Amino acid sequence: GQQVMQIPQYQHVQEGEDFTTYCNSSTTLSNIQWYKQRPGGHPVFLIQLVKSGEVKKQKRLTFQFGEAKKNSSLHITATQTTDVGTYFCAGRDSNYQLIWGAGTKLIIKP
Amino acid sequence: DGGITQSPKYLFRKEGQNVTLSCEQNLNHDAMYWYRQDPGQGLRLIYYSQIVNDFQKGDIAEGYSVSREKKESFPLTVTSAQKNPTAFYLCASSMRDSAAYGYTFGSGTRLTVV
């Protein structure tokens, strides 16, 4: 079936460094959503991107949707301890089904 | 405050028993979903429902059953036919199953088979 590949699986950063996670789909997506799941918690909706080439910002978070609507990225500038968690992308296919990436776990090095 | 309530938070089940996980929402959302999450992995769709008295199988429906008798409620039964039920179960809802809305999740139920 259709898959959304998300990389990397883990990213270890020093506090203050940047973090990026990428999602790629083999087929065109109607839109893509991003969620954050804190350790032991549940996913929380962050944002949805709909338009080709769309870029949205939320404070230190920058979300991009590719021109072909097959890839997306989330970039966090100057990570803080509050950013720790797993970030998931979820792309909506032509049948309006939400296809989830496996997530990228952000770990802050002590 | 509006939201989704899942209960119980932790559940222990003996092999061969059926258990039912509760999911209630007061957001007036039309669509509801059940996901399973295994450690270090993403979310896999078990069942979803877009309207009352109707539901559809997701990617891993075998060994599970649901009902949608009320808009607010979407309970999930994990049957004895589910071979590896130990997991974190998440219920979610959305305004409607369209392109425009993100999902709101409950806090989850951690099921352990003992």
Side-chain angles (χ1 to χ4, degrees), chain A residues 9 30-31 33 35 37 40-45 48 88 92 96-98 100-102, chain B residues 35 37 40-43 45 48 88 90 97-103 105-107 110:
Chain A
Q9 188 176 4
S30 301
N31 62 48
Q33 299 177 353
Y35 293 78
Q37 184 175 23
H42 58 276
V44 174
F45 176 70
Q48 177 171 273
F88 292 97
R92 202 174 284 277
Y96 287 125
Q97 296 302 308
L98 208 57
W100 290 79
Chain B
Y35 284 93
Q37 187 175 36
Q41 298 193 23
L43 280 67
L45 183 64
Y48 64 101
F88 187 40
L90 288 158
D97 196 28
S98 70
Y101 304 100
Y103 290 7
F105 282 85
S107 56
R110 295 189 185 277

Side-chain angles (χ1 to χ4, degrees), chain A residues 72-92:
Chain A
S72 183
S73 65
L74 159 59
H75 180 81
I76 302 177
T77 303
T79 54
Q80 300 175 358
T81 56
T82 54
D83 296 324
V84 163
T86 301
Y87 293 84
F88 292 97
C89 64
R92 202 174 284 277

Side-chain angles (χ1 to χ4, degrees), chain B residues 2-7 21-28 32 34 70-75 91-93 104-107:
Chain B
I4 299 182
T5 301
Q6 287 188 244
S7 62
L21 282 57
S22 172
C23 178
E24 303 276 335
Q25 55 101 355
N26 61 3
L27 298 166
N28 198 32
M32 297 186 74
W34 274 105
K70 299 186 300 182
K71 187 175 184 178
E72 302 79 16
S73 178
F74 192 38
C91 179
S93 69
T104 301
F105 282 85
S107 56

Side-chain angles (χ1 to χ4, degrees), chain B residues 35-101:
Chain B
Y35 284 93
R36 170 180 171 142
Q37 187 175 36
D38 292 284
Q41 298 193 23
L43 280 67
R44 292 187 289 168
L45 183 64
I46 305 172
Y47 269 98
Y48 64 101
S49 167
Q50 299 182 32
I51 56 173
V52 174
N53 292 322
D54 186 53
F55 47 82
Q56 308 295 328
K57 291 182 178 180
D59 300 319
I60 57 165
E62 185 175 350
Y64 300 97
S65 66
V66 294
S67 63
R68 186 89 185 275
E69 297 177 0
K70 299 186 300 182
K71 187 175 184 178
E72 302 79 16
S73 178
F74 192 38
L76 173 74
T77 297
V78 184
T79 75
S80 57
Q82 169 50 234
K83 297 305 178 189
N84 185 21
T86 295
F88 187 40
Y89 290 88
L90 288 158
C91 179
S93 69
S94 67
M95 194 68 168
R96 64 178 65 89
D97 196 28
S98 70
Y101 304 100

